[in-house]
Amino acid sequence: MTSPDSPESAAASAPVAARAGVRAARAALSGGAAGTRPPTSRDVASAAGVSQATVSLVLGDKWRGRVSERTAGLVREAAQDLGYRPNLAARSLRLGRTRTALLVVPAMTSEFFAQVYAGAARVAAEHGFGVVLYPSPEGIGPARDPFDSARTALDGVIASSMAAEALASIRGSDLPLVMLDSDPAEAGPAAHVNLDIADGVRRLTEHLLGLGHRRFTHIAADVDSWTFVVRARALAAALAGTPDAELRTVRTELSVDGGRRAAEAALGAPGPRPTALVCDDDFLAAGACKAAHRLGLRVPDDVSVTGFDGLNLATALEPELTTLTLPAEQVGARGMAALLAVLEGRPVESGDLPVTLAVRGSTAAPRPA
């Protein structure tokens, strides 16, 4: 049997004592002549049976290595039961931080960047941070400077490489910058969060080669961004080992209509028609499918089409689109976690996020010549 004074007995009785402390704290909060008052960190400390310093460590997410897991759980439970909310304004003044990050993306018309924001906001909320979204009003091109009036209200910036023109005013500032899907050799940012694009493109190309395709056209986004440069290089490298493979490139604006025009040009050009259209984006691929239908061609019987991003659009098309699926929400979450690590002087998690090949109905073996 366990004696009343054993450590196991003490550990088992701790939650009971904490619940009793919460009841006592609630009574104290509602017992004053002025009515119910909002709970304070002192009330949480009293309810959990710990010091205010311990409450501060736990709720400030700085308890690891200094407070036990059990005690941290008791503090969080007491705070939740009492409805305690830290005074973030006071904490910001004390720490010299605003606990606000800026997320810069090229545009919010893309589902991909909406998911990036969702991931960043989720991790930020878990650490008492907020995320301010800044989509470039001109889309992929230059953006107005968002920092003239807000620079002092930010702790750091997370940005997509596609929004490079909107970042000119960040460079040279003292704001920590985390870049998403960008050149890891670039020295300015405090951290990079990247996708394993080259591996994804390699697997997509191997899929098409395995089906028997040898005449490829790359419907390339006409955007000066590292991520699209990597896609083109990876496609060329993956085809380099197949001597009879042919690769042509048609560059176009990043839109459904741009994809349609580029595919019409590629499919209507003199000489043997390409059997596979490899598109830089699901919207470009949707345009390519549209072009094939307008020309009286069937996907995938007459031409295979692939995309990139893994948007909901990919499964809305008929046939459904073979595409490379990017973990957009993980990109945003990893970006926010990297910024938090930089601010706290911790190592940033390394390694690229994997890209998944989703094989669907838009690809098949080419017809015999």
Side-chain angles (χ1 to χ4, degrees):
M1 285 184 65
T2 301
S3 70
D5 297 325
S6 69
E8 292 83 1
S9 177
S13 65
V16 176
R19 286 192 290 272
V22 168
R23 288 195 295 270
R26 281 178 176 165
L29 292 173
S30 60
T36 303
R37 61 175 176 82
T40 66
S41 62
R42 180 175 296 178
D43 297 316
V44 176
S46 176
V50 298
S51 67
Q52 278 186 274
T54 298
V55 171
S56 179
L57 287 173
V58 173
L59 299 185
D61 200 28
K62 296 182 179 180
W63 60 272
R64 293 171 182 82
R66 304 165 78 176
V67 175
S68 72
E69 186 96 34
R70 181 182 63 83
T71 300
L74 291 175
V75 170
R76 285 193 293 264
E77 184 178 349
Q80 183 176 359
D81 287 346
L82 291 175
Y84 172 71
R85 296 290 182 271
N87 186 332
L88 296 180
R91 180 191 290 178
S92 296
L93 289 172
R94 186 169 64 253
L95 298 178
R97 289 184 182 170
T98 63
R99 303 186 75 78
T100 303
L102 184 75
L103 176 62
V104 183
V105 298
M108 280 307 291
T109 53
S110 169
E111 172 193 338
F112 176 83
F113 290 110
Q115 293 178 15
V116 168
Y117 171 76
R122 173 175 55 78
V123 172
E126 291 170 357
H127 294 82
F129 265 70
V131 176
V132 177
L133 181 66
Y134 183 79
S136 167
E138 284 77 34
I140 300 168
R144 296 189 301 272
D145 181 0
F147 308 105
D148 284 343
S149 60
R151 192 182 305 276
T152 58
L154 299 171
D155 283 337
V157 179
I158 307 165
S160 162
S161 65
M162 286 181 63
E165 292 294 338
L167 303 177
S169 59
I170 297 178
R171 305 187 188 282
S173 76
D174 56 357
L175 287 173
L177 171 62
V178 173
M179 289 298 298
L180 309 178
D181 198 19
S182 65
D183 187 353
E186 187 180 9
H192 293 84
V193 173
N194 280 328
L195 296 149
D196 197 348
I197 292 173
D199 179 67
V201 172
R202 176 187 59 78
R203 285 187 284 122
L204 173 64
T205 308
E206 288 176 351
H207 163 67
L208 292 170
L209 288 171
L211 291 172
H213 292 278
R214 293 299 182 268
R215 295 195 301 274
F216 293 76
T217 292
H218 181 199
I219 307 297
D222 192 15
V223 178
D224 184 16
S225 174
W226 176 85
T227 186
F228 293 117
V229 172
V230 170
R231 296 174 199 194
R233 289 176 180 170
L235 177 59
L239 291 175
T242 305
D244 57 341
E246 301 174 6
L247 175 62
R248 298 179 179 178
T249 300
V250 180
R251 300 181 67 83
T252 185
E253 67 183 53
L254 194 56
S255 68
V256 172
D257 201 47
R260 178 190 57 78
R261 290 195 304 270
E264 285 176 348
L267 295 170
R273 190 172 61 220
T275 63
L277 302 179
V278 180
C279 304
D280 266 349
D281 174 90
D282 289 349
F283 286 107
L284 292 177
C289 291
K290 194 171 184 179
H293 294 317
R294 286 190 175 188
L295 293 171
L297 302 175
R298 290 179 297 175
V299 177
D301 298 338
D302 299 309
V303 61
S304 288
V305 179
T306 67
F308 203 108
D309 278 351
L311 306 178
N312 287 331
L313 172 65
T315 54
L317 296 173
E318 186 58 47
E320 293 186 356
L321 185 65
T322 292
T323 188
L324 287 170
T325 301
L326 310 184
E329 190 166 337
Q330 284 183 259
V331 171
R334 179 80 74 86
M336 188 66 217
L339 179 59
L340 291 170
V342 169
L343 292 172
E344 296 172 7
R346 295 184 285 105
V348 175
E349 184 178 356
S350 60
D352 293 344
L353 291 166
V355 174
T356 304
L357 173 61
V359 176
R360 301 193 180 99
S362 69
T363 52
R367 285 183 173 181

